[in-house]
Short mmCIF file of all heavy atoms in Angstrom, two decimals:
data_model
loop_
_atom_site.label_atom_id
_atom_site.label_comp_id
_atom_site.label_asym_id
_atom_site.label_seq_id
_atom_site.Cartn_x
_atom_site.Cartn_y
_atom_site.Cartn_z
N MET A 1 -41.13 172.96 23.03
CA MET A 1 -42.12 172.75 21.98
C MET A 1 -43.03 173.97 21.87
O MET A 1 -43.31 174.64 22.87
CB MET A 1 -42.97 171.51 22.30
CG MET A 1 -44.02 171.20 21.24
SD MET A 1 -45.23 169.99 21.83
CE MET A 1 -44.63 168.50 21.08
N LYS A 2 -43.46 174.24 20.64
CA LYS A 2 -44.43 175.30 20.42
C LYS A 2 -45.63 174.75 19.66
O LYS A 2 -45.52 173.74 18.96
CB LYS A 2 -43.81 176.43 19.59
CG LYS A 2 -42.84 177.27 20.37
CD LYS A 2 -42.40 178.46 19.55
CE LYS A 2 -41.34 179.25 20.32
NZ LYS A 2 -41.78 180.58 20.65
N VAL A 3 -46.75 175.44 19.81
CA VAL A 3 -47.95 175.11 19.05
C VAL A 3 -48.26 176.31 18.16
O VAL A 3 -48.22 177.45 18.63
CB VAL A 3 -49.13 174.85 20.01
CG1 VAL A 3 -50.45 174.88 19.26
CG2 VAL A 3 -48.96 173.52 20.71
N SER A 4 -48.51 176.05 16.91
CA SER A 4 -48.97 177.10 16.00
C SER A 4 -50.39 176.79 15.57
O SER A 4 -50.71 175.65 15.24
CB SER A 4 -48.09 177.15 14.74
OG SER A 4 -46.77 177.45 15.07
N ILE A 5 -51.22 177.80 15.59
CA ILE A 5 -52.59 177.65 15.13
C ILE A 5 -52.82 178.57 13.94
O ILE A 5 -52.57 179.77 14.02
CB ILE A 5 -53.62 177.98 16.23
CG1 ILE A 5 -53.35 177.14 17.48
CG2 ILE A 5 -55.04 177.75 15.72
CD1 ILE A 5 -54.30 177.44 18.64
N ASP A 6 -53.25 177.98 12.83
CA ASP A 6 -53.62 178.77 11.66
C ASP A 6 -55.03 179.32 11.92
O ASP A 6 -56.03 178.61 11.76
CB ASP A 6 -53.59 177.88 10.41
CG ASP A 6 -53.86 178.68 9.15
OD1 ASP A 6 -54.48 179.75 9.24
OD2 ASP A 6 -53.44 178.21 8.07
N LEU A 7 -55.07 180.56 12.35
CA LEU A 7 -56.35 181.15 12.75
C LEU A 7 -57.32 181.29 11.58
O LEU A 7 -58.53 181.38 11.78
CB LEU A 7 -56.11 182.50 13.44
CG LEU A 7 -55.27 182.43 14.73
CD1 LEU A 7 -55.08 183.83 15.32
CD2 LEU A 7 -55.90 181.50 15.77
N ASP A 8 -56.79 181.30 10.36
CA ASP A 8 -57.67 181.34 9.18
C ASP A 8 -58.37 180.00 8.97
O ASP A 8 -59.46 179.94 8.40
CB ASP A 8 -56.87 181.70 7.93
CG ASP A 8 -56.41 183.14 7.96
OD1 ASP A 8 -57.09 183.97 8.60
OD2 ASP A 8 -55.36 183.44 7.36
N LYS A 9 -57.72 178.92 9.42
CA LYS A 9 -58.32 177.59 9.28
C LYS A 9 -59.26 177.27 10.44
O LYS A 9 -60.15 176.43 10.31
CB LYS A 9 -57.23 176.51 9.26
CG LYS A 9 -56.54 176.31 7.93
CD LYS A 9 -55.70 175.04 8.05
CE LYS A 9 -54.81 174.84 6.86
NZ LYS A 9 -53.89 173.70 7.11
N CYS A 10 -59.04 177.90 11.58
CA CYS A 10 -59.86 177.61 12.76
C CYS A 10 -61.32 177.90 12.46
O CYS A 10 -61.66 178.97 11.95
CB CYS A 10 -59.39 178.46 13.95
SG CYS A 10 -60.45 178.29 15.40
N ALA A 11 -62.17 176.93 12.76
CA ALA A 11 -63.60 177.07 12.52
C ALA A 11 -64.41 177.07 13.82
O ALA A 11 -65.62 176.93 13.80
CB ALA A 11 -64.08 175.96 11.60
N GLY A 12 -63.71 177.21 14.93
CA GLY A 12 -64.41 177.37 16.21
C GLY A 12 -64.92 176.09 16.83
O GLY A 12 -65.87 176.12 17.62
N HIS A 13 -64.27 174.98 16.55
CA HIS A 13 -64.72 173.71 17.15
C HIS A 13 -64.41 173.60 18.64
O HIS A 13 -65.04 172.81 19.35
CB HIS A 13 -64.09 172.52 16.41
CG HIS A 13 -64.53 172.39 15.00
ND1 HIS A 13 -65.81 172.02 14.65
CD2 HIS A 13 -63.87 172.62 13.83
CE1 HIS A 13 -65.91 172.00 13.32
NE2 HIS A 13 -64.75 172.36 12.81
N ALA A 14 -63.40 174.35 19.08
CA ALA A 14 -63.03 174.42 20.50
C ALA A 14 -62.56 173.09 21.08
O ALA A 14 -62.52 172.93 22.30
CB ALA A 14 -64.16 174.99 21.35
N ARG A 15 -62.21 172.15 20.24
CA ARG A 15 -61.74 170.86 20.77
C ARG A 15 -60.34 170.98 21.37
O ARG A 15 -59.98 170.21 22.26
CB ARG A 15 -61.76 169.80 19.68
CG ARG A 15 -63.18 169.46 19.27
CD ARG A 15 -63.25 168.20 18.46
NE ARG A 15 -64.52 168.12 17.78
CZ ARG A 15 -64.81 167.24 16.86
NH1 ARG A 15 -63.92 166.34 16.49
NH2 ARG A 15 -66.00 167.22 16.30
N CYS A 16 -59.57 171.93 20.87
CA CYS A 16 -58.25 172.17 21.47
C CYS A 16 -58.42 172.58 22.94
O CYS A 16 -57.77 172.03 23.82
CB CYS A 16 -57.50 173.24 20.68
SG CYS A 16 -58.44 174.76 20.38
N TYR A 17 -59.31 173.51 23.15
CA TYR A 17 -59.56 173.99 24.52
C TYR A 17 -60.15 172.88 25.39
O TYR A 17 -59.80 172.74 26.57
CB TYR A 17 -60.51 175.19 24.46
CG TYR A 17 -60.86 175.76 25.81
CD1 TYR A 17 -59.96 176.56 26.50
CD2 TYR A 17 -62.09 175.49 26.39
CE1 TYR A 17 -60.28 177.08 27.75
CE2 TYR A 17 -62.43 176.01 27.63
CZ TYR A 17 -61.50 176.80 28.30
OH TYR A 17 -61.83 177.31 29.53
N ALA A 18 -61.04 172.08 24.82
CA ALA A 18 -61.64 170.98 25.58
C ALA A 18 -60.59 169.97 25.98
O ALA A 18 -60.66 169.38 27.06
CB ALA A 18 -62.74 170.31 24.74
N THR A 19 -59.59 169.77 25.12
CA THR A 19 -58.52 168.81 25.42
C THR A 19 -57.54 169.38 26.43
O THR A 19 -57.10 168.67 27.33
CB THR A 19 -57.77 168.44 24.12
OG1 THR A 19 -58.71 167.92 23.18
CG2 THR A 19 -56.69 167.41 24.38
N SER A 20 -57.22 170.65 26.29
CA SER A 20 -56.22 171.24 27.17
C SER A 20 -56.55 172.71 27.46
O SER A 20 -55.99 173.62 26.84
CB SER A 20 -54.83 171.13 26.52
OG SER A 20 -53.88 171.69 27.38
N PRO A 21 -57.43 172.95 28.42
CA PRO A 21 -57.81 174.33 28.74
C PRO A 21 -56.66 175.15 29.34
O PRO A 21 -56.72 176.38 29.32
CB PRO A 21 -58.96 174.18 29.75
CG PRO A 21 -58.88 172.78 30.23
CD PRO A 21 -58.20 171.97 29.18
N ASP A 22 -55.62 174.47 29.84
CA ASP A 22 -54.47 175.22 30.37
C ASP A 22 -53.63 175.83 29.26
O ASP A 22 -53.01 176.88 29.44
CB ASP A 22 -53.58 174.30 31.21
CG ASP A 22 -54.24 173.91 32.52
OD1 ASP A 22 -55.15 174.63 32.95
OD2 ASP A 22 -53.84 172.88 33.09
N LEU A 23 -53.58 175.16 28.11
CA LEU A 23 -52.73 175.64 27.02
C LEU A 23 -53.47 176.55 26.06
O LEU A 23 -52.91 177.52 25.56
CB LEU A 23 -52.22 174.44 26.21
CG LEU A 23 -51.03 173.66 26.74
CD1 LEU A 23 -50.71 172.52 25.79
CD2 LEU A 23 -49.83 174.57 26.90
N PHE A 24 -54.72 176.23 25.80
CA PHE A 24 -55.44 176.93 24.73
C PHE A 24 -56.44 177.92 25.30
O PHE A 24 -57.00 177.71 26.37
CB PHE A 24 -56.17 175.91 23.83
CG PHE A 24 -55.23 175.03 23.07
CD1 PHE A 24 -54.75 173.86 23.62
CD2 PHE A 24 -54.82 175.38 21.79
CE1 PHE A 24 -53.86 173.06 22.93
CE2 PHE A 24 -53.94 174.58 21.08
CZ PHE A 24 -53.46 173.41 21.66
N ASP A 25 -56.65 178.97 24.55
CA ASP A 25 -57.61 179.99 24.93
C ASP A 25 -58.56 180.19 23.76
O ASP A 25 -58.14 180.19 22.61
CB ASP A 25 -56.85 181.29 25.23
CG ASP A 25 -57.61 182.19 26.18
OD1 ASP A 25 -58.64 181.74 26.73
OD2 ASP A 25 -57.17 183.33 26.38
N ILE A 26 -59.83 180.32 24.05
CA ILE A 26 -60.80 180.53 22.97
C ILE A 26 -61.64 181.76 23.28
O ILE A 26 -61.78 182.17 24.44
CB ILE A 26 -61.73 179.30 22.78
CG1 ILE A 26 -62.42 178.91 24.10
CG2 ILE A 26 -60.98 178.13 22.18
CD1 ILE A 26 -63.49 177.84 23.93
N ASP A 27 -62.20 182.34 22.22
CA ASP A 27 -63.06 183.51 22.42
C ASP A 27 -64.49 183.05 22.71
O ASP A 27 -64.78 181.85 22.79
CB ASP A 27 -62.97 184.46 21.24
CG ASP A 27 -63.53 183.88 19.95
OD1 ASP A 27 -64.29 182.88 20.01
OD2 ASP A 27 -63.21 184.42 18.87
N ASP A 28 -65.39 184.00 22.86
CA ASP A 28 -66.78 183.68 23.24
C ASP A 28 -67.50 182.84 22.19
O ASP A 28 -68.50 182.19 22.48
CB ASP A 28 -67.57 184.96 23.49
CG ASP A 28 -67.11 185.65 24.77
OD1 ASP A 28 -66.44 185.01 25.58
OD2 ASP A 28 -67.43 186.85 24.93
N SER A 29 -66.99 182.85 20.95
CA SER A 29 -67.61 182.06 19.88
C SER A 29 -66.95 180.70 19.70
O SER A 29 -67.34 179.93 18.83
CB SER A 29 -67.53 182.84 18.56
OG SER A 29 -68.19 184.08 18.69
N GLY A 30 -65.92 180.41 20.50
CA GLY A 30 -65.26 179.12 20.43
C GLY A 30 -64.06 179.08 19.52
O GLY A 30 -63.49 178.01 19.29
N TYR A 31 -63.63 180.24 19.02
CA TYR A 31 -62.47 180.28 18.14
C TYR A 31 -61.19 180.45 18.95
O TYR A 31 -61.18 181.18 19.95
CB TYR A 31 -62.59 181.45 17.15
CG TYR A 31 -63.57 181.20 16.04
CD1 TYR A 31 -64.95 181.29 16.27
CD2 TYR A 31 -63.13 180.87 14.76
CE1 TYR A 31 -65.86 181.05 15.25
CE2 TYR A 31 -64.04 180.64 13.74
CZ TYR A 31 -65.40 180.73 13.99
OH TYR A 31 -66.29 180.49 12.97
N ALA A 32 -60.14 179.80 18.47
CA ALA A 32 -58.84 179.94 19.13
C ALA A 32 -58.36 181.38 19.04
O ALA A 32 -58.56 182.07 18.04
CB ALA A 32 -57.83 179.01 18.46
N CYS A 33 -57.71 181.84 20.12
CA CYS A 33 -57.28 183.24 20.21
C CYS A 33 -55.82 183.45 19.84
O CYS A 33 -55.47 184.50 19.31
CB CYS A 33 -57.47 183.75 21.63
SG CYS A 33 -59.17 183.79 22.19
N ASN A 34 -54.97 182.47 20.15
CA ASN A 34 -53.53 182.70 20.00
C ASN A 34 -52.94 181.88 18.87
O ASN A 34 -53.19 180.68 18.77
CB ASN A 34 -52.81 182.33 21.31
CG ASN A 34 -53.35 183.13 22.48
OD1 ASN A 34 -53.50 184.34 22.38
ND2 ASN A 34 -53.64 182.46 23.57
N ALA A 35 -52.15 182.52 18.02
CA ALA A 35 -51.53 181.82 16.90
C ALA A 35 -50.30 181.03 17.32
O ALA A 35 -49.95 180.05 16.67
CB ALA A 35 -51.16 182.81 15.80
N GLU A 36 -49.65 181.45 18.39
CA GLU A 36 -48.43 180.77 18.86
C GLU A 36 -48.54 180.56 20.36
O GLU A 36 -48.86 181.50 21.10
CB GLU A 36 -47.19 181.63 18.58
CG GLU A 36 -46.82 181.71 17.11
CD GLU A 36 -45.98 180.52 16.65
OE1 GLU A 36 -45.35 179.87 17.51
OE2 GLU A 36 -45.99 180.25 15.45
N ILE A 37 -48.24 179.35 20.78
CA ILE A 37 -48.29 179.03 22.21
C ILE A 37 -47.01 178.30 22.57
O ILE A 37 -46.62 177.34 21.89
CB ILE A 37 -49.51 178.13 22.52
CG1 ILE A 37 -50.81 178.83 22.16
CG2 ILE A 37 -49.51 177.70 23.98
CD1 ILE A 37 -52.01 177.90 22.08
N ASP A 38 -46.37 178.75 23.64
CA ASP A 38 -45.22 178.02 24.18
C ASP A 38 -45.74 176.91 25.07
O ASP A 38 -46.52 177.15 25.99
CB ASP A 38 -44.33 178.95 25.00
CG ASP A 38 -43.56 179.91 24.12
OD1 ASP A 38 -43.05 179.47 23.07
OD2 ASP A 38 -43.47 181.09 24.49
N VAL A 39 -45.31 175.68 24.80
CA VAL A 39 -45.76 174.53 25.58
C VAL A 39 -44.77 174.29 26.72
O VAL A 39 -43.59 174.03 26.48
CB VAL A 39 -45.85 173.27 24.69
CG1 VAL A 39 -46.29 172.06 25.51
CG2 VAL A 39 -46.80 173.53 23.52
N PRO A 40 -45.24 174.38 27.96
CA PRO A 40 -44.33 174.13 29.08
C PRO A 40 -43.87 172.68 29.09
O PRO A 40 -44.59 171.79 28.62
CB PRO A 40 -45.21 174.42 30.32
CG PRO A 40 -46.40 175.15 29.82
CD PRO A 40 -46.59 174.72 28.40
N PRO A 41 -42.67 172.45 29.64
CA PRO A 41 -42.17 171.08 29.75
C PRO A 41 -43.18 170.18 30.46
O PRO A 41 -43.80 170.59 31.44
CB PRO A 41 -40.90 171.22 30.59
CG PRO A 41 -40.48 172.65 30.40
CD PRO A 41 -41.74 173.43 30.19
N GLY A 42 -43.36 168.99 29.93
CA GLY A 42 -44.29 168.04 30.53
C GLY A 42 -45.67 168.06 29.89
O GLY A 42 -46.48 167.16 30.14
N GLN A 43 -45.95 169.09 29.07
CA GLN A 43 -47.28 169.17 28.46
C GLN A 43 -47.25 168.89 26.97
O GLN A 43 -48.21 169.17 26.25
CB GLN A 43 -47.89 170.55 28.73
CG GLN A 43 -48.13 170.79 30.22
CD GLN A 43 -49.16 171.88 30.48
OE1 GLN A 43 -50.15 172.00 29.78
NE2 GLN A 43 -48.91 172.67 31.50
N GLU A 44 -46.13 168.30 26.51
CA GLU A 44 -45.99 168.04 25.07
C GLU A 44 -47.04 167.06 24.56
O GLU A 44 -47.60 167.24 23.47
CB GLU A 44 -44.59 167.49 24.76
CG GLU A 44 -43.47 168.49 24.95
CD GLU A 44 -42.91 168.52 26.37
OE1 GLU A 44 -43.50 167.87 27.26
OE2 GLU A 44 -41.89 169.19 26.59
N SER A 45 -47.32 166.03 25.35
CA SER A 45 -48.24 165.00 24.83
C SER A 45 -49.67 165.53 24.77
O SER A 45 -50.41 165.23 23.83
CB SER A 45 -48.16 163.73 25.66
OG SER A 45 -48.56 163.97 26.98
N ILE A 46 -50.06 166.35 25.74
CA ILE A 46 -51.42 166.90 25.70
C ILE A 46 -51.54 167.91 24.55
O ILE A 46 -52.59 168.04 23.92
CB ILE A 46 -51.83 167.52 27.06
CG1 ILE A 46 -53.33 167.79 27.11
CG2 ILE A 46 -51.09 168.78 27.38
CD1 ILE A 46 -54.16 166.60 27.44
N ALA A 47 -50.45 168.62 24.26
CA ALA A 47 -50.45 169.55 23.13
C ALA A 47 -50.62 168.79 21.82
O ALA A 47 -51.38 169.21 20.93
CB ALA A 47 -49.16 170.37 23.12
N ALA A 48 -49.93 167.66 21.70
CA ALA A 48 -50.05 166.84 20.48
C ALA A 48 -51.45 166.26 20.37
O ALA A 48 -52.01 166.16 19.27
CB ALA A 48 -49.00 165.74 20.51
N GLU A 49 -52.01 165.89 21.50
CA GLU A 49 -53.37 165.34 21.51
C GLU A 49 -54.37 166.41 21.05
O GLU A 49 -55.29 166.14 20.27
CB GLU A 49 -53.70 164.91 22.94
CG GLU A 49 -54.81 163.91 23.07
CD GLU A 49 -55.02 163.50 24.53
OE1 GLU A 49 -54.06 163.10 25.20
OE2 GLU A 49 -56.16 163.61 24.98
N ALA A 50 -54.19 167.63 21.52
CA ALA A 50 -55.07 168.72 21.12
C ALA A 50 -54.94 169.01 19.63
O ALA A 50 -55.94 169.27 18.94
CB ALA A 50 -54.75 169.98 21.94
N ALA A 51 -53.71 168.95 19.13
CA ALA A 51 -53.50 169.19 17.69
C ALA A 51 -54.24 168.13 16.87
O ALA A 51 -54.88 168.44 15.87
CB ALA A 51 -52.01 169.17 17.38
N ALA A 52 -54.16 166.89 17.33
CA ALA A 52 -54.82 165.80 16.61
C ALA A 52 -56.34 165.90 16.71
O ALA A 52 -57.06 165.38 15.84
CB ALA A 52 -54.36 164.46 17.16
N ALA A 53 -56.83 166.59 17.74
CA ALA A 53 -58.28 166.68 17.95
C ALA A 53 -58.94 167.74 17.07
O ALA A 53 -60.17 167.76 16.96
CB ALA A 53 -58.56 167.00 19.43
N CYS A 54 -58.15 168.59 16.45
CA CYS A 54 -58.74 169.68 15.64
C CYS A 54 -59.22 169.13 14.30
O CYS A 54 -58.42 168.66 13.51
CB CYS A 54 -57.72 170.79 15.41
SG CYS A 54 -58.39 172.10 14.33
N PRO A 55 -60.52 169.19 14.04
CA PRO A 55 -61.05 168.65 12.78
C PRO A 55 -60.58 169.42 11.56
O PRO A 55 -60.60 168.89 10.45
CB PRO A 55 -62.57 168.80 12.93
CG PRO A 55 -62.82 169.11 14.36
CD PRO A 55 -61.57 169.73 14.89
N GLU A 56 -60.16 170.67 11.75
CA GLU A 56 -59.71 171.49 10.61
C GLU A 56 -58.22 171.33 10.34
O GLU A 56 -57.69 171.94 9.42
CB GLU A 56 -60.03 172.97 10.87
CG GLU A 56 -61.47 173.27 11.22
CD GLU A 56 -62.42 172.92 10.09
OE1 GLU A 56 -62.02 172.98 8.92
OE2 GLU A 56 -63.59 172.55 10.40
N ARG A 57 -57.54 170.55 11.18
CA ARG A 57 -56.07 170.41 11.07
C ARG A 57 -55.41 171.80 11.09
O ARG A 57 -54.46 172.06 10.34
CB ARG A 57 -55.68 169.66 9.79
CG ARG A 57 -56.17 168.22 9.78
CD ARG A 57 -55.32 167.37 10.71
NE ARG A 57 -55.77 165.99 10.80
CZ ARG A 57 -56.51 165.52 11.80
NH1 ARG A 57 -56.89 166.29 12.79
NH2 ARG A 57 -56.87 164.26 11.85
N ALA A 58 -55.91 172.64 11.98
CA ALA A 58 -55.39 174.01 12.07
C ALA A 58 -54.19 174.11 13.02
O ALA A 58 -53.54 175.14 13.05
CB ALA A 58 -56.50 174.94 12.55
N ILE A 59 -53.94 173.04 13.79
CA ILE A 59 -52.92 173.12 14.84
C ILE A 59 -51.71 172.28 14.46
O ILE A 59 -51.85 171.11 14.09
CB ILE A 59 -53.49 172.62 16.18
CG1 ILE A 59 -54.78 173.36 16.51
CG2 ILE A 59 -52.46 172.80 17.29
CD1 ILE A 59 -55.50 172.81 17.74
N GLU A 60 -50.54 172.89 14.59
CA GLU A 60 -49.29 172.16 14.37
C GLU A 60 -48.42 172.30 15.60
O GLU A 60 -48.39 173.35 16.24
CB GLU A 60 -48.54 172.72 13.17
CG GLU A 60 -49.16 172.36 11.85
CD GLU A 60 -48.33 172.84 10.67
OE1 GLU A 60 -47.27 173.44 10.90
OE2 GLU A 60 -48.77 172.58 9.54
N THR A 61 -47.68 171.22 15.91
CA THR A 61 -46.68 171.30 16.97
C THR A 61 -45.30 171.27 16.31
O THR A 61 -45.11 170.63 15.29
CB THR A 61 -46.80 170.12 17.96
OG1 THR A 61 -46.71 168.90 17.23
CG2 THR A 61 -48.14 170.15 18.68
N HIS A 62 -44.37 171.98 16.91
CA HIS A 62 -43.01 171.98 16.37
C HIS A 62 -42.04 172.40 17.44
O HIS A 62 -42.44 172.79 18.53
CB HIS A 62 -42.92 172.91 15.15
CG HIS A 62 -43.44 174.30 15.41
ND1 HIS A 62 -42.63 175.35 15.72
CD2 HIS A 62 -44.72 174.77 15.44
CE1 HIS A 62 -43.40 176.44 15.90
NE2 HIS A 62 -44.64 176.12 15.74
FE1 LIG B 1 -60.17 176.06 16.15
FE2 LIG B 1 -59.44 173.60 15.82
FE3 LIG B 1 -59.35 174.64 18.20
S1 LIG B 1 -61.10 174.58 14.76
S2 LIG B 1 -60.94 176.19 18.22
S3 LIG B 1 -58.14 175.28 16.47
S4 LIG B 1 -60.06 172.60 17.68
#
């Protein structure tokens, strides 16, 4: 599984990082840093949870 983040949609809510700090990285202002993240086996559900937690709907799993 991969996670894609539309960095243009990201508004710095940092809820992805709050949900899964192992998967997501944010800058000092709370904005997501990486547009593509490889999700290790076993972390699919937390990745989906983080995607659902983004108020901007900037995160997609595929
Ligand atoms: Fe950005 Fe959404 Fe995460 S707004 S910091 S991708 S929760």
Side-chain angles (χ1 to χ4, degrees):
M1 181 193 260
K2 286 187 184 244
V3 165
S4 299
I5 305 178
D6 185 337
L7 298 179
D8 290 332
K9 279 191 189 172
C10 174
H13 295 290
R15 291 194 197 171
C16 50
Y17 179 77
T19 303
S20 180
D22 289 338
L23 279 179
F24 293 87
D25 205 7
I26 54 172
D27 66 18
D28 290 344
S29 301
Y31 285 77
C33 296
N34 302 313
E36 289 277 338
I37 299 164
D38 287 318
V39 179
Q43 296 201 38
E44 292 88 352
S45 63
I46 193 81
E49 201 178 308
C54 176
E56 306 297 330
R57 295 286 177 260
I59 307 173
E60 287 184 0
T61 56
H62 53 98

